[in-house]
Amino acid sequence: MTDAGPPRADEATFIAAARSGDTARFAVITERHRRELQVHCYRMLANYEDAQDMTQETFLRAWNKRESFKGNATLRTWLYRIATNVCLDFLEKRGDRTPVPAEPADSEVLYLQPYPDRMLPEDPQESVVVRETIELAFIVAVQHLPPRQRAVFILRDVLGWPAPKAADALDVTVASVTSALQRARVTMRERLPGRRLDWRSPATHELSKDERGVVKSYIEAHERNDLDGLISLLRDDLRFAMLPESGTSVRTAKDAVDGWVSGGLFQRGHDDWRGITTTVNRMPAAALYLRTPGDPEYRLFAIAALRVVDGKIAELTGFDVAGKPWLDVPPVL
């Protein structure tokens, strides 16, 4: 995402469309960037629906500011600058878009939503989406940064922008960007201990054979009501959350399954399961369906996003997916 050389065809065409007021041509050119801008907004906001709205707002602002684009930077850079500031304006207005304290010493991102893989950019060379920067743990960690630190961190360490370019986008000094990035990196290391922090180096987009096997076994254990099988799939330091309910907790495998049973799951009337393997945030996930007595169909109950470490589930984030057709999983089986 560097700006070098004379304006490319896209920039020249965009300038012509902007000057002539050609809304159709303007839309065609900017639409090419929708997916990557939406991922950018999602990293800033951790919420798919908000990211969709802010991407649309980015295009509206781009149209209103079209005459300010002179081709000195690439069109992509200009759109990212607008998108970043759209998200910062949104965060300034929304007091409910910060993590809330929880017990034990942790904090929750209650507005977190999964990101459907089908909406990620298609070209891996252009996607600027390595797997580690879209996984839920990364998205949650980023939310613990103050908004402007968050923007600096994403622009500098995820997108790889040089400090002067990030400073220009945020209308701050290079020294401010450097200071904010140093503080952000400290927080990210605390929130992601032991994880790779060089977000610009190559990373796989594919699930491993191990991950695919674990999610398959997780679904099969549900379908058999095999509680011992479920316990065997979970690490004893499992991190579990069921959004939008609050309370990420670290539990032993047995305590986790016992808690689900005490809540009514796997009991009569809640013991007829089916599941399909899917992915969200480039993570293995299970879409779980429950058939209750008298209902001829299995209805979508939840999506469980899994982080697999050494063949076991280390983190399980469940999402209530009612009314979220954008996840692109069937509502019934």
Side-chain angles (χ1 to χ4, degrees):
M1 293 187 59
T2 58
D3 297 345
R8 299 178 305 170
D10 264 7
E11 281 70 45
T13 305
F14 180 85
I15 290 171
R19 288 175 177 170
S20 66
D22 187 343
T23 57
R25 187 62 178 156
F26 180 95
V28 168
I29 298 169
T30 54
E31 185 66 25
R32 298 169 189 167
H33 301 280
R34 179 180 293 276
R35 289 194 178 194
E36 60 181 301
L37 290 171
Q38 191 163 293
V39 169
H40 180 59
C41 292
Y42 177 73
R43 287 198 188 102
M44 287 288 295
L45 306 175
N47 184 283
Y48 180 78
E49 291 166 330
D50 290 341
Q52 282 186 309
D53 291 344
M54 293 306 103
T55 303
Q56 195 59 37
E57 175 64 22
T58 296
F59 290 146
L60 289 173
R61 284 199 194 180
W63 173 254
N64 291 332
K65 295 175 178 288
R66 62 192 182 279
E67 293 183 1
S68 71
F69 181 75
K70 306 299 183 184
N72 299 324
T74 66
L75 175 59
R76 174 183 283 143
T77 295
W78 187 69
L79 290 172
Y80 265 97
R81 174 178 183 153
I82 294 174
T84 302
N85 285 284
V86 163
C87 290
L88 289 173
D89 290 346
F90 174 84
L91 290 169
E92 186 178 349
K93 294 174 184 175
R94 293 291 295 266
D96 62 341
R97 286 300 185 264
T98 55
V100 297
E103 296 294 337
D106 205 340
S107 56
E108 299 306 316
V109 181
L110 300 181
Y111 50 91
L112 177 68
Q113 290 181 338
Y115 201 97
D117 283 10
R118 67 180 178 82
M119 290 305 297
L120 292 170
E122 295 173 347
D123 184 347
Q125 298 304 314
E126 297 293 335
S127 71
V128 294
V129 185
V130 296
R131 180 173 170 184
E132 285 88 341
T133 67
I134 198 68
E135 285 185 343
L136 292 173
F138 178 90
I139 298 299
V140 169
V142 167
Q143 299 305 298
H144 290 85
L145 302 175
R148 288 202 170 266
Q149 272 190 39
R150 191 182 311 175
V152 167
F153 177 78
I154 292 170
L155 293 176
R156 292 281 284 115
D157 273 11
V158 178
L159 300 182
W161 286 22
K165 186 174 173 180
D168 182 63
L170 298 171
D171 197 22
V172 297
T173 65
V174 171
S176 295
V177 163
T178 301
S179 176
L181 181 60
Q182 290 172 345
R183 295 195 302 272
R185 284 172 174 169
V186 170
T187 301
M188 293 298 288
R189 289 189 182 99
E190 291 172 349
R191 291 282 168 183
L192 295 171
R195 300 288 192 94
R196 182 175 70 82
L197 296 179
D198 181 7
W199 310 114
R200 287 167 289 172
S201 65
T204 179
H205 292 182
E206 301 298 326
L207 300 185
S208 68
K209 182 179 179 181
D210 208 20
E211 289 173 320
R212 294 183 185 279
V214 168
V215 72
K216 181 174 182 288
S217 297
Y218 178 80
I219 290 171
E220 290 174 348
H222 275 76
E223 293 177 343
R224 297 194 305 266
N225 280 275
D226 181 1
L227 301 185
D228 289 337
L230 269 179
I231 290 172
S232 72
L233 291 170
L234 306 176
R235 280 177 48 145
D236 263 351
D237 56 349
L238 172 74
R239 288 183 59 84
F240 170 73
M242 181 67 203
L243 297 174
E245 298 174 10
S246 61
T248 296
S249 60
V250 179
R251 309 182 187 182
T252 67
K254 186 176 186 306
D255 285 346
V257 174
D258 286 349
W260 298 337
V261 172
S262 67
L265 300 183
F266 305 104
Q267 303 281 355
R268 185 172 179 82
H270 289 81
D271 57 353
D272 191 359
W273 297 94
R274 291 292 182 270
I276 58 175
T277 299
T278 186
T279 58
V280 293
N281 296 73
R282 287 205 165 118
M283 301 172 68
L288 298 172
Y289 294 77
L290 180 65
R291 184 171 69 175
T292 55
D295 192 336
E297 296 180 309
Y298 292 87
R299 300 190 181 276
L300 184 59
F301 180 80
I303 284 182
L306 312 175
R307 179 170 175 255
V308 176
V309 177
D310 297 330
K312 290 204 169 186
I313 298 169
E315 297 174 12
L316 192 162
T317 306
F319 293 96
D320 178 357
V321 291
K324 295 178 175 59
W326 42 264
L327 280 168
D328 204 29
V329 292
V332 297
L333 291 181

